[in-house]
Amino acid sequence: MNHILGLSAGFHDAAVAVLNSNGNIVFAGHSERYSKIKNDPGISPDMLHELCDYDIDIVAFYERPWMHNLQQWRSGQRCYGPWTEHTAIRSYLGSWYKVPARQEVCFSHHLSHAAAGFQTSSFDEAAVVVIDAIGEMDTISIYHARYDDQGRAKYKRVWRQGYPHSIGLFYSAITKAVGLKPMEEEYITMGMAAYGTDLGAAWMKHKFVDDVETVRFKKNLHIGFDEYELSFSHNEDIAAAAQRLTEEMIMSVMRRARRLVKSDNLVYMGGVALNCVANSRLGQIYDKIWIMPNPGDAGSSLGAAALAYGERINWRDAFLGHDIPGVYPVADILDHLIAHRIVGVASGRAEFGPRALGNRSLLADPRGADIKNRVNEIKRRQKFRPFAPVILEECVNDYFEMPQNFPASRYMQIVARVRDPNSFPAITHADSTARVQTVPRDGSGIRQLLEQWYLLTGCPMLLNTSLNIRGEPMVNDRADADRFEQQYGVKVCS
Ligand SMILES: [Fe+2]
């Protein structure tokens, strides 16, 4: 066997992942970074150029196209895609797919989510919880996953919930109701929640939820709320109530998983697993938790490839995309930071997943009162949104109160209370928390930069936000970085 190509496309945020015969991830990337169309559902030909050196034996699609079409029909969206894995793979790969792979396969939507999590985890067995908006006809799945004596991954689904009862659709409907873009800006709704009061959560539950335990809603929220249905004075209060109710439902699902699967290990996947405020509570139920850093549908390209491979795959880090070669420019970045300048970095392989983790980042000194406004001037985003800190992992407890059973946070998946918010206002949210990224002693570029910064200043952390031109996806290649420099007058080091 040479290589397996995993493919996720056709709905939103298309992506590919390539595994070699040793179970190593040789490439994983998002189409949007190449086409410059945010959440691009199609596969960019420019991304496929990256794959020219690989002999592809198997192409694995992340869902069953006929089941997706069935769901579209059932929900009244009469926009059907290809019906078979063959037509789907052909249509998304286009003329690049001149030499067909020996095998074309597809897997169920939620199983692809589950495999992307379990087979990248260090666990030998685990409860796997998948929560998203809709995947084929599923909205929540709980699996018991394990490896058999031959090292083959085995999945047994022990519970499911189906359309239209969906935590993800509820949160998207709330996102639309507060004036944001559903299926894209849910993370802004989550940030907005810190500015409101959640006193309306009980009313919201009574009005829309039939049963929290089984996550059953009283109405189908796929098309959103009626115009005057949410009688709140402020959008922030809607967001806060919805966040509280969402957390209650997620925790109910997790308690169910704990009862049904006798395991201390949790793998959590699906788009709802991007809600880092809710994630911070998972340690109340589970001792060991793994959320693959790309838990949404894009990450399922890796899940489909993992299912075709069948065994544990080697997860090292999330730097799996386009490569900007060269040594990480530590000295150049430090020169700018010491001079109190905001500086970009575009170096090494791009992040697979929605978070900039140091290879496509805008960096700044997190100390001082004015830095948030200065970075916001460049990013031109809502003023209420704080920026994230990236910190040497061994120093994290000196600056943050980490949530239970999360000693580290290498992929910005949880929030932690800031011990001294007044000293770090730029990275502190309205509720005194921060979405912290910890960096272990892994020899990465961002690790070397933080070590040098700490030596020079005594501060082990930097402000880290994604490097992107407003309205565009994250910077991918050097040409994007050059455009960023011209547009904002901010140096991007490579
Ligand atoms: Fe999904």
Side-chain angles (χ1 to χ4, degrees), residues 109 113 132 134-135 297:
H109 186 111
H113 275 306
D132 63 3
I134 330 169
D297 285 359

Side-chain angles (χ1 to χ4, degrees), residues 12 62 109-110 113 130-135 270-271 295-297 300:
H12 64 144
Y62 82 121
H109 186 111
H110 273 204
H113 275 306
V130 177
I131 308 179
D132 63 3
I134 330 169
D297 285 359
S300 289

Side-chain angles (χ1 to χ4, degrees), residues 74-123:
R74 196 176 158 201
S75 60
Q77 300 171 298
R78 298 180 192 279
C79 44
Y80 304 124
W83 281 89
T84 68
E85 66 263 36
H86 178 72
T87 50
I89 290 166
R90 291 271 164 161
S91 69
Y92 296 127
L93 295 186
S95 58
W96 180 82
Y97 197 47
K98 288 188 189 102
V99 183
R102 266 182 270 157
Q103 205 183 338
E104 292 165 339
V105 287
C106 62
F107 299 98
S108 95
H109 186 111
H110 273 204
L111 192 59
S112 293
H113 275 306
F118 179 61
Q119 287 172 247
T120 55
S121 78
S122 60
F123 303 141

Side-chain angles (χ1 to χ4, degrees), residues 366-369 418-426 428:
R367 300 168 296 180
V418 182
R419 291 191 189 278
D420 183 7
N422 293 332
S423 297
F424 302 97
T428 306

Side-chain angles (χ1 to χ4, degrees), residues 17-34:
V18 180
L19 286 181
N20 71 11
S21 57
N22 297 318
N24 295 319
I25 309 163
V26 295
F27 180 86
H30 296 250
S31 189
E32 63 166 23
R33 313 270 165 90
Y34 295 81

Side-chain angles (χ1 to χ4, degrees), residues 143-158:
Y143 297 87
H144 183 201
R146 62 180 181 85
Y147 292 101
D148 69 11
D149 294 343
Q150 281 74 47
R152 308 286 297 175
K154 300 291 175 190
Y155 297 89
K156 182 183 177 194
R157 188 155 71 171
V158 295

